[in-house]
Amino acid sequence: MKHELFEFLTTDLQFVKGVGPVLATRFDNVLGGRRVLDFMLHTPVYIRAREVSENVAAAEPGDVITIPLLVKSHRAGGVFRGRRRPTQIICNDKMGNSVVIQFFNVNFLDYWLKKLPVGEWRMVSGKLEHGARPTINHPDFIEEMQNADKIPSVQAIYPAGEGLTQKTFANVRDQIFNMLPDKLNGEPEPNVREFFDALRHVHYPETADDLSPNSPYIVKLAYWELLAHQSAIVISRRNRTDVRNHRTVRPQKYDLMRKFYATLPFDLTGAQTRTLREIFNDMARDVPMMRLVQGDVGSGKTIVALAAAVKMAESGAQTALLAPTDTLAQQHYAKIKPMCDKMGIICDVLTGRDKGVARREKLVSLRSGRTKIVVGTHALFSDDVEYKDLGLVIVDEQHRFGVSQREALRAKGRNPDLLALSATPIPRTLSMTIYGDMDVSIINEKPAGRLPIITTKLPIARVNELITRLKIQIDSGAKVFWVCPLVTESEASDLTAVNARFEELKKAFPHAGLVHGQMDKKQRDAVMAKFADDNSDMKILVATTVIEVGIDVPRATIIVIENAERFGLAALHQLRGRVGRGNQQSYCILLYGRNISEDGLKRLDVLTETDDGFAIAEQDLIMRGTGELLGTRQSGWINYHFVDYARHRDLFKLAASAARDMVDVDAWTRDLLFIFDRGVVISA
Ligand code: ADP
Ligand code: MG
């Protein structure tokens, strides 16, 4: 790959026209990276046809319609007798049917009203809502009639991020792909040109087929993605067995370990004990450990990881525990610190929040080897962080990190042990191909006394009944998560729905809290902290999926998931894991919408019938439809961009055998390793 192209692909998105630092950060949250390349690998999931219709009566609630409307009048919103009312624009379609456009507490109301002057026709496109009258909340497009063609007749829909609209995605895509030909000019590697050509086709789909797993472009990209992964595994395995990388085994002592067992407030489960034995065996070998511990949420992976860290500390070396978010890092630290204090092990936390003198002191302590266990985020492998003797790297929620991040941290030590933790179960049938370079331990047993979460499904029509029942539960001390989806398109209307639900619930629960991804982080953390606080009045928290990873509220025993049919099974299972963390009976209520399909209901049944993550993963593999569902990508077993487990099985075999036969790592393979973030492996 030409250097010029490489530079372009690694450019920070904030330098793309129309983006800037704020949007770049939002992209980072969604893409897991903020380079041009990260954007390019994030491709549309489906297309939205926006052909023009003239008669609103011919459309169904839930449809996205594009329709010419004559603006009749404006009705300002505001608070009336304690009730918030949206701003309404009353319109007629060509047949004389009334259509209402609604805006809820928006910042630029004047702007919108000017776009919809009384007495004029406008082309409006958006989702038709249920209601007494046909209603469109926060239209996606409003154009003057002579500009109606600005509304794309086929729109590529990207998996959304909070705070990012489809228009932003389309704009950034256009910027990037307009610059690309220039960067590819003179590129010597034909595969590179072919790769980006395929990528362009996927970003500009013309029909639904263009995005199906069987489309020739997607098949091609999926094969290359698998080839990158399988090559990385082969290289990693070859490195590991290379005698030049072997090490002297550290001294084995047991005093601290005895103390550790003595301070544990409970007995380890059989599965935890077995996993620990496997880990200790690895640590006593002359090849570095590469072990993945899989176990459902709440199966007790943290204690196992801590035991490994204590063992490492006893041999005099250090452990770094990498977590995906600040909140998770702090949570781990809060749990681990008291135990370390009892054993006399110095433990610390290091995140992006640490600045100035305090941070410098932490770094000194790490460099001197005094700090034995450090918990943190990516700050753990910043350039200026040095370890005296980093013996063990633990990666929590490992699917949220690229191989290069994991290896960047490992590079801070001399071929240290690696322990990866994952709460997303991988079907056994796939685990060899996916984690071929790692040994796997499975914690398939919950701590004693845990009651299975009782899961039920309920149609949205019965929501009032549910609220009444919640009141009773809350009065007797329960805390409740209420999760609403914020999905791919029409984010504004989803956000409206979340706000509306919040207002609704506030009538029954005046102290209800609300968190969503568009709030700034501090505000969000403050609300979450209040909800977690046993002494606060906030007993119910309305949230978008920002709570998926992180927050640990043992008193929370009920989770309601609204529009559950819009989530993937893996995501639902993860969400459900937010409750059932204490010894009390917990409940999960899957509220489903009017438009749920028969298959959708069947999928929800999987969750009501089992809470075994592995069984759910197998079902997910079989039943998974399109990539449309929320969270199927983020909560996948590994962050594949193009590979579909069920439909690309043959490609797995092809790629694995091509990688096995690889003699030297050629230029194209290197490019692939870089593109799919599997690059650092080579130098390991
Ligand atoms: P995971 O990381 O696998 O989701 P954690 O390690 O956070 O789970 O454990 C969940 C909770 O269960 C923690 O509060 C932990 O202290 C507790 N726990 C872990 N192992 C046991 C055990 N063997 N017996 C009782 N409680 C346990
Ligand atoms: Mg955990």
Side-chain angles (χ1 to χ4, degrees):
M1 174 182 306
K2 266 190 354 174
H3 186 67
E4 199 188 344
L5 177 61
F6 177 82
E7 295 251 284
F8 174 62
L9 296 176
T10 48
T11 305
D12 192 306
L13 281 173
Q14 69 168 310
F15 302 118
V16 172
K17 205 170 136 221
V19 180
V22 174
L23 281 184
T25 304
R26 290 186 189 160
F27 273 119
D28 195 358
N29 290 336
V30 183
L31 311 175
R34 47 189 292 155
R35 306 165 306 166
V36 164
L37 177 61
D38 298 312
F39 183 92
M40 292 174 107
L41 294 175
H42 187 79
T43 48
V45 269
Y46 56 99
I47 62 165
R48 164 68 63 209
R50 289 189 185 272
E51 273 140 39
V52 178
S53 55
E54 312 228 303
N55 181 2
V56 73
E60 298 278 340
D63 287 356
V64 171
I65 56 169
T66 301
I67 188 164
L69 293 176
L70 175 62
V71 181
K72 306 291 280 187
S73 63
H74 292 173
R75 247 180 68 187
V79 180
F80 298 93
R81 297 202 196 96
R83 287 208 56 180
R84 191 181 289 278
R85 216 169 63 189
T87 294
Q88 297 187 321
I89 292 68
I90 319 292
C91 308
N92 276 355
D93 71 5
K94 285 205 171 150
M95 323 301 275
N97 297 312
S98 166
V99 179
V100 182
I101 298 174
Q102 289 196 136
F103 294 99
F104 293 82
N105 36 11
V106 282
N107 297 327
F108 304 106
L109 199 55
D110 282 353
Y111 168 83
W112 293 111
L113 292 183
K114 274 195 200 120
K115 289 194 88 156
L116 291 159
V118 173
E120 294 199 21
W121 285 91
R122 287 291 181 268
M123 189 67 85
V124 176
S125 188
K127 186 165 149 210
L128 197 63
E129 301 289 341
H130 302 270
R133 276 193 292 184
T135 302
I136 300 174
N137 294 328
H138 295 257
D140 303 321
F141 295 90
I142 302 170
E143 294 292 344
E144 292 177 26
M145 295 308 287
Q146 71 265 27
N147 293 333
D149 59 353
K150 279 195 182 164
I151 303 176
S153 58
V154 173
Q155 188 187 11
I157 303 294
Y158 286 84
E162 298 192 24
L164 294 168
T165 63
Q166 289 300 326
K167 273 186 207 166
T168 313
F169 275 102
N171 168 46
V172 174
R173 170 199 60 187
D174 292 348
Q175 297 285 342
I176 289 175
F177 281 93
N178 286 343
M179 284 162 83
L180 185 64
D182 201 37
K183 310 291 175 189
L184 276 173
N185 205 354
E187 167 61 46
E189 173 64 55
N191 281 316
V192 170
R193 288 199 302 271
E194 215 180 305
F195 181 91
F196 286 101
D197 181 56
L199 209 47
R200 172 194 294 279
H201 277 92
V202 180
H203 276 281
Y204 291 92
E206 282 165 11
T207 66
D209 283 349
D210 290 341
L211 296 179
S212 104
N214 301 322
S215 118
Y217 297 111
I218 301 225
V219 167
K220 203 184 272 184
L221 292 165
Y223 173 71
W224 276 327
E225 181 163 35
L226 286 166
L227 186 60
H229 188 190
Q230 294 298 318
S231 304
I233 289 173
V234 167
I235 294 164
S236 160
R237 220 187 279 137
R238 286 179 190 172
N239 278 339
R240 211 172 146 207
T241 46
D242 186 337
V243 283
R244 282 166 301 181
N245 288 327
H246 288 188
R247 59 181 183 188
T248 32
V249 177
R250 294 175 199 277
Q252 305 289 310
K253 293 185 231 156
Y254 301 94
D255 290 351
L256 256 184
M257 279 322 292
R258 262 183 228 116
K259 248 194 202 166
F260 170 79
Y261 289 119
T263 45
L264 262 188
F266 43 71
D267 290 332
L268 293 180
T269 62
Q272 283 172 318
T273 309
R274 176 172 39 75
T275 301
L276 258 185
R277 203 160 45 225
E278 289 165 350
I279 290 171
F280 290 164
N281 279 343
D282 287 352
M283 289 170 77
R285 290 176 61 198
D286 62 354
V287 292
M289 165 166 74
M290 296 273 268
R291 183 165 291 277
L292 172 73
V293 175
Q294 275 189 60
D296 247 326
V297 252
S299 60
K301 295 181 293 294
T302 313
I303 286 294
V304 168
L306 179 61
V310 171
K311 179 104 176 137
M312 194 44 83
E314 176 144 54
S315 73
Q318 295 165 294
T319 295
L321 195 169
L322 179 63
T325 63
D326 278 16
T327 320
L328 264 186
Q330 298 292 351
Q331 220 165 265
H332 278 314
Y333 179 64
K335 264 194 205 162
I336 289 173
K337 178 80 164 62
M339 297 193 67
C340 286
D341 286 349
K342 280 190 199 148
M343 290 176 279
I345 297 174
I346 310 284
C347 166
D348 209 346
V349 61
L350 185 70
T351 71
R353 283 188 215 169
D354 295 302
K355 302 255 150 69
V357 181
R359 179 168 189 276
R360 235 170 296 141
E361 276 171 8
K362 290 180 180 208
L363 297 196
V364 168
S365 183
L366 273 174
R367 202 176 312 137
S368 72
R370 186 174 158 273
T371 301
K372 285 292 186 293
I373 300 178
V374 62
V375 183
T377 55
H378 54 275
L380 291 176
F381 51 89
S382 306
D383 281 341
D384 58 345
V385 180
E386 284 173 45
Y387 299 81
K388 176 143 188 278
D389 181 10
L390 180 61
L392 172 63
V393 166
I394 302 173
V395 183
D396 192 21
E397 306 284 348
Q398 69 89 35
H399 64 280
R400 309 238 314 186
F401 295 95
V403 175
S404 62
Q405 288 169 308
R406 163 189 117 184
E407 292 301 314
L409 183 49
R410 282 191 73 228
K412 297 272 180 192
R414 285 178 295 275
N415 223 347
D417 287 324
L418 173 80
L419 189 60
L421 312 179
S422 170
T424 27
I426 299 157
R428 251 166 259 263
T429 45
L430 278 179
S431 95
M432 255 318 281
T433 27
I434 292 182
Y435 289 116
D437 59 339
M438 289 202 240
D439 303 305
V440 179
S441 300
I442 293 177
I443 306 189
N444 52 0
E445 186 182 346
K446 293 247 164 96
R450 283 293 145 76
L451 297 162
I453 301 164
I454 296 178
T455 304
T456 47
K457 59 186 203 303
L458 197 73
I460 188 75
R462 288 173 60 187
V463 68
N464 288 332
E465 225 174 286
L466 173 64
I467 291 175
T468 311
R469 274 195 279 154
L470 288 182
K471 250 195 210 144
I472 299 169
Q473 293 284 337
I474 285 177
D475 286 343
S476 52
K479 289 199 174 196
V480 180
F481 285 114
W482 189 297
V483 182
C484 300
L486 202 60
V487 247
T488 42
E489 59 176 317
S490 307
E491 187 196 311
S493 89
D494 275 341
L495 198 56
T496 307
V498 177
N499 275 313
R501 176 60 70 209
F502 177 55
E503 295 294 333
E504 188 70 29
L505 286 171
K506 257 179 43 180
K507 284 185 220 150
F509 312 103
H511 298 288
L514 172 68
V515 286
H516 57 73
Q518 279 192 30
M519 292 162 66
D520 84 63
K521 222 168 138 9
K522 264 194 202 132
Q523 221 182 340
R524 205 162 77 192
D525 287 352
V527 176
M528 291 220 200
K530 195 162 173 206
F531 180 65
D533 178 1
D534 276 348
N535 298 318
S536 95
D537 290 331
M538 192 187 290
K539 305 292 188 208
I540 182 163
L541 181 69
V542 181
T544 58
T545 39
V546 288
I547 63 150
E548 186 173 345
V549 174
I551 188 159
D552 189 10
V553 185
R555 287 273 299 276
T557 51
I558 301 175
I559 185 164
V560 178
I561 306 175
E562 189 162 346
N563 284 120
E565 73 278 10
R566 285 160 73 175
F567 293 90
L569 282 183
L572 287 172
H573 182 60
Q574 290 271 323
L575 280 170
R576 175 166 64 175
R578 293 301 110 206
V579 300
R581 313 202 116 217
N583 286 329
Q584 270 166 317
Q585 180 61 56
S586 288
Y587 302 88
C588 169
I589 296 103
L590 305 169
L591 268 182
Y592 55 88
R594 292 182 180 84
N595 295 333
I596 191 167
S597 66
E598 207 162 304
D599 281 350
L601 280 170
K602 262 193 219 145
R603 281 177 356 99
L604 297 188
D605 282 336
V606 173
L607 286 150
T608 61
E609 281 158 19
T610 179
D611 73 340
D612 174 353
F614 287 92
I616 292 168
E618 294 278 2
Q619 283 304 313
D620 197 19
L621 189 65
I622 296 165
M623 303 177 88
R624 174 186 300 233
T626 63
E628 250 184 66
L629 293 164
L630 185 66
T632 46
R633 288 194 184 194
Q634 296 92 323
S635 300
W637 303 297
I638 183 177
N639 291 333
Y640 280 136
H641 297 279
F642 304 105
V643 177
D644 180 311
Y645 297 89
R647 297 198 183 78
H648 292 146
R649 290 212 165 180
D650 294 346
L651 296 182
F652 271 95
K653 289 190 197 115
L654 272 180
S657 86
R660 247 191 330 266
D661 295 343
M662 170 177 64
V663 182
D664 284 318
V665 183
D666 61 15
W668 171 232
T669 311
R670 266 171 210 275
D671 288 342
L672 276 182
L673 291 172
F674 155 70
I675 288 171
F676 290 110
D677 188 24
R678 308 198 166 267
V680 184
V681 185
I682 294 187
S683 55

